[in-house]
Amino acid sequence: MTEQERVAGGPLGKMVGKVKQAAGAALGREDLHREGKLQEVQADAEAEAAAKAAEAERREEEAEIEAERAETEAERHEVELEAAEIEAEEEAERRRAEEEREAANRAQAEKAAAERQRLEGEDRAAAKRQQAAAEKGEAKREAAELQREADRAEAAAAAIDPKEED
């Protein structure tokens, strides 16, 4: 391409190319007509390249936005999983603590019931000892009374029949 064929681009370059083509055709100058055609084609190519570059940049920006959106979604999902895990751990801890409280309450109730049973057993044993002591005392009184009656009967028998004394 010659120095003369270097052309301006963009919409202005396309318009200038059309003017050069028309002028070259009107004046019969093939070089001017060719330069105008070349300038118009170059302007179209630059416009197409600029449009493709803009489209590529737009798609790249969309891809970046989508990547950021996906990353944000992944982070949100990870945070939700962590929150759910923490909640599950807290719930498990609450259940464990509740089970421990219930077990402690049951153990305390069982211990209290066992203590009541022990005390009731001791009370029954004490009552039986008292009853046995009372019965023993009554038996001793009856035995003493019987002994006195036997002694009186023996004394009466000796008084009646003094021979049988040893």
Side-chain angles (χ1 to χ4, degrees):
M1 183 177 340
T2 66
E3 186 66 36
Q4 197 177 27
E5 291 176 329
R6 289 182 198 254
V7 290
L12 181 61
K14 186 171 182 163
M15 185 179 74
V16 168
K18 285 188 186 266
V19 170
K20 284 182 181 180
Q21 280 182 21
L27 297 173
R29 287 190 52 198
E30 183 60 35
D31 63 327
L32 188 57
H33 183 277
R34 189 170 35 97
E35 185 179 331
K37 181 75 172 160
L38 181 62
Q39 191 168 357
E40 186 179 354
V41 168
Q42 185 177 2
D44 286 343
E46 287 176 1
E48 186 178 338
K52 285 184 179 182
E55 178 64 18
E57 187 174 330
R58 183 188 64 77
R59 286 185 181 172
E60 185 178 328
E61 288 173 356
E62 286 177 356
E64 287 177 8
I65 289 171
E66 186 59 34
E68 288 175 5
R69 187 177 296 138
E71 184 178 337
T72 301
E73 179 65 23
E75 288 174 357
R76 182 188 63 79
H77 184 67
E78 186 176 324
V79 167
E80 286 174 350
L81 288 176
E82 289 174 3
E85 185 178 313
I86 290 170
E87 178 62 30
E89 288 173 357
E90 289 174 350
E91 179 61 27
E93 180 60 27
R94 282 191 292 271
R95 272 189 261 124
R96 185 194 60 74
E98 180 61 28
E99 288 170 358
E100 285 179 358
R101 278 192 297 277
E102 288 174 0
N105 289 341
R106 282 192 305 271
Q108 188 175 10
E110 289 173 3
K111 184 178 179 181
E115 181 63 16
R116 281 191 304 275
Q117 288 177 346
R118 185 187 67 77
L119 291 174
E120 288 170 359
E122 286 179 1
D123 289 346
R124 283 192 303 274
K128 284 184 178 183
R129 281 192 301 273
Q130 287 177 345
Q131 183 180 359
E135 288 174 0
K136 183 179 179 182
E138 182 62 29
K140 281 184 178 181
R141 281 189 293 279
E142 286 178 9
E145 182 62 34
L146 288 174
Q147 185 62 44
R148 283 190 295 273
E149 283 180 23
D151 289 345
R152 279 192 300 257
E154 197 174 299
I160 296 176
D161 190 13
K163 296 185 206 173
E164 288 190 23
E165 285 188 30
D166 287 339

